[in-house]
Amino acid sequence: LVRFEQVWKTYGSGEARVDALAGVDLTIERGEFVAIMGPSGSGKSTAMNIIGCLDTPTRGRYFFMDVDAGGLDRSRRALLRNLYIGFVFQGYNLLARTTAVENVELPLIYRGVAARQRRKLALEALAKVGLTGREGHTPAELSGGQQQRVAIARAIVTNPTLLVADEPTGNLDTARSQEIMGLLNALNREQGLTIAMVTHEADIAAHAGRIVTFVDGKIASDEAKLEA
Amino acid sequence: LVRFEQVWKTYGSGEARVDALAGVDLTIERGEFVAIMGPSGSGKSTAMNIIGCLDTPTRGRYFFMDVDAGGLDRSRRALLRNLYIGFVFQGYNLLARTTAVENVELPLIYRGVAARQRRKLALEALAKVGLTGREGHTPAELSGGQQQRVAIARAIVTNPTLLVADEPTGNLDTARSQEIMGLLNALNREQGLTIAMVTHEADIAAHAGRIVTFVDGKIASDEAKLEA
Ligand SMILES: Nc1ncnc2c1ncn2[C@@H]1O[C@H](COP(=O)(O)OP(=O)(O)OP(=O)(O)O)[C@@H](O)[C@H]1O
Ligand SMILES: Nc1ncnc2c1ncn2[C@@H]1O[C@H](COP(=O)(O)OP(=O)(O)OP(=O)(O)O)[C@@H](O)[C@H]1O
Ligand SMILES: [Mg+2]
Ligand SMILES: [Mg+2]
């Protein structure tokens, strides 16, 4: 589903040059649940943005569903994203003056889903992340962990092919994190949702079938979990 | 240093009413290092905002250094904050078009510190959180964990009396989190910095001398660590 071929992402030049990704090869098959770990600044979000078609490599190639996505223009990448990808941003990126349910409906609006069906699907997604009763709140009227869960609901409401989640439980307590992991596992098993998830917590990563570790813009290890 | 007397924080009314805090009594002595835990939406950030003089109770009283801070107007609370309090926000709240070092200098500008001394103190604070080499980057050019560390540096650069930190290691890997905890412990032990820190990770909370747990806007437990 996802393939990196010697992907580099470079910012600046000369003394100020930063290689956020420095030659990354990575393949993710349909139906996999991959956890991505590594120190702060090691390139995880940069890799996630390329996987999610939000950004393109400086060098090397990125294939999404066998299409050279790095070579497409902005609007074609946006179309791929809207049709196939759900993205949970490290900073949530919710619309500030919009309620929780309207934020979750946004990807459905792009797909031309009718208003009544949009509302139904959005409320279901909010229920799945435990936010029934908060749908009318704007982000400022929600706790950090509640905002994070709105972002997760928005990412799954279209039933995407690929979920890219950048630290989806970073602001959630243990019990709530386990609930969200249960939800992601169910979507992965029952609907074949492919998941690439950044986390810095080992017990969250343990829910995935494979752990890829970044260090200084390269992949340092790539370990499949042994069947229990 | 900090005292809550039957503090309530209520939003909305009637059916839409939310009691973010529902009668909280809490005392924090100078020099303590208190961890604050509890489920998502239980009132932790609301309590932190009142402690940091960013917000006032709906009912009940909040005393900071024996002054009824809840009864002060905005500008007097802002003055208390600038002189005595360092705040790490759950969402960092960095200025977007400003570099890391300029963001860290901001509290020093409020205190009228001269430009050369400001730059020196800000660079030292950034070095303490491991960000030497990133001082000229704006938030958009920094990873999530790097932005979080800029927020921490900004909170400690004035050598405040009280540090209020809302999930300061939420986006940091284990090694980096332990470094930050080591830094906070050193400031607490060597400079008597009083710390109120929200975290949802038990091994981060273990660095504190006392754990206060919120549930549904009330304090459910308040446990001092037994001396090892
Ligand atoms: N302006 C507001 N209007 C209505 N409800 C609000 C408002 N601000 C906060 N709340 C509600 O108050 C409750 C407590 O919020 P708070 O941010 O203190 O939680 P928290 O413990 O910090 O959660 P988290 O761990 O998710 O950050 C939440 O249920 C939230 O929805
Ligand atoms: N626009 C930019 N200009 C310069 N450097 C950048 C830019 N964007 C990112 N970087 C740098 O690229 C590196 C990788 O960033 P990235 O956000 O991918 O890290 P990360 O692994 O997600 O970190 P974290 O765990 O802290 O979120 C960082 O060192 C960062 O400073
Ligand atoms: Mg990141
Ligand atoms: Mg909070």
Side-chain angles (χ1 to χ4, degrees), chain B residues 81-141:
Chain B
R81 216 159 56 232
N82 292 331
L83 292 181
Y84 298 113
I85 302 173
F87 206 106
V88 185
F89 294 85
Q90 194 167 2
Y92 322 150
N93 286 20
L94 301 176
L95 295 181
R97 295 195 201 86
T98 316
T99 64
V101 67
E102 288 166 343
N103 263 288
V104 176
E105 286 187 16
L106 213 57
L108 298 168
I109 293 175
Y110 286 140
R111 290 198 188 190
V113 176
R116 191 178 305 179
Q117 176 72 354
R118 280 203 316 260
R119 175 82 14 156
K120 171 175 175 293
L121 291 173
L123 291 176
E124 284 176 6
L126 285 169
K128 284 179 186 163
V129 297
L131 283 177
T132 301
R134 287 283 182 278
E135 48 269 3
H137 288 230
T138 60
E141 297 166 343

Side-chain angles (χ1 to χ4, degrees), chain B residues 31-90:
Chain B
E32 283 202 77
F33 186 166
V34 184
I36 300 190
M37 304 189 78
S40 175
S42 55
K44 306 181 295 296
S45 296
T46 305
M48 292 299 105
N49 289 341
I50 293 175
I51 289 175
C53 296
L54 286 156
D55 198 4
T56 53
T58 316
R59 273 167 46 194
R61 291 201 289 173
Y62 167 59
F63 293 88
F64 178 71
M65 291 168 66
D66 291 325
V67 171
D68 184 339
L72 297 176
D73 62 31
R74 263 181 192 284
S75 55
R76 287 205 175 83
R77 272 186 286 126
L79 184 68
L80 271 189
R81 216 159 56 232
N82 292 331
L83 292 181
Y84 298 113
I85 302 173
F87 206 106
V88 185
F89 294 85
Q90 194 167 2

Side-chain angles (χ1 to χ4, degrees), chain B:
Chain B
L1 190 65
V2 159
R3 190 163 78 253
F4 277 41
E5 286 182 1
Q6 275 298 300
V7 165
W8 287 72
K9 185 69 184 179
T10 303
Y11 297 105
S13 58
E15 263 211 31
R17 169 177 162 162
V18 174
D19 291 323
L21 296 177
V24 175
D25 294 309
L26 176 67
T27 302
I28 299 180
E29 307 285 349
R30 225 183 249 269
E32 283 202 77
F33 186 166
V34 184
I36 300 190
M37 304 189 78
S40 175
S42 55
K44 306 181 295 296
S45 296
T46 305
M48 292 299 105
N49 289 341
I50 293 175
I51 289 175
C53 296
L54 286 156
D55 198 4
T56 53
T58 316
R59 273 167 46 194
R61 291 201 289 173
Y62 167 59
F63 293 88
F64 178 71
M65 291 168 66
D66 291 325
V67 171
D68 184 339
L72 297 176
D73 62 31
R74 263 181 192 284
S75 55
R76 287 205 175 83
R77 272 186 286 126
L79 184 68
L80 271 189
R81 216 159 56 232
N82 292 331
L83 292 181
Y84 298 113
I85 302 173
F87 206 106
V88 185
F89 294 85
Q90 194 167 2
Y92 322 150
N93 286 20
L94 301 176
L95 295 181
R97 295 195 201 86
T98 316
T99 64
V101 67
E102 288 166 343
N103 263 288
V104 176
E105 286 187 16
L106 213 57
L108 298 168
I109 293 175
Y110 286 140
R111 290 198 188 190
V113 176
R116 191 178 305 179
Q117 176 72 354
R118 280 203 316 260
R119 175 82 14 156
K120 171 175 175 293
L121 291 173
L123 291 176
E124 284 176 6
L126 285 169
K128 284 179 186 163
V129 297
L131 283 177
T132 301
R134 287 283 182 278
E135 48 269 3
H137 288 230
T138 60
E141 297 166 343
L142 293 170
S143 77
Q146 290 167 342
Q147 292 173 27
Q148 189 155 42
R149 286 182 275 152
V150 174
I152 294 167
R154 181 181 61 182
I156 63 171
V157 73
T158 53
N159 226 329
T161 304
L162 169 69
L163 174 69
V164 183
D166 199 341
E167 305 252 12
T169 63
N171 270 307
L172 296 175
D173 54 279
T174 312
R176 196 60 84 175
S177 299
Q178 295 298 327
E179 273 179 41
I180 295 296
M181 282 301 114
L183 169 65
L184 296 189
N185 259 311
L187 292 172
N188 175 246
R189 273 195 327 265
E190 295 161 20
Q191 299 178 26
L193 175 66
T194 309
I195 303 176
M197 174 185 75
V198 173
T199 178
H200 66 257
E201 292 178 69
D203 48 356
I204 297 295
H207 287 266
R210 172 183 167 202
I211 297 180
V212 173
T213 304
F214 279 79
V215 175
D216 291 335
K218 291 189 175 74
I219 291 181
S221 76
D222 190 338
E223 306 277 333
K225 233 167 101 179
L226 300 158
E227 285 311 315

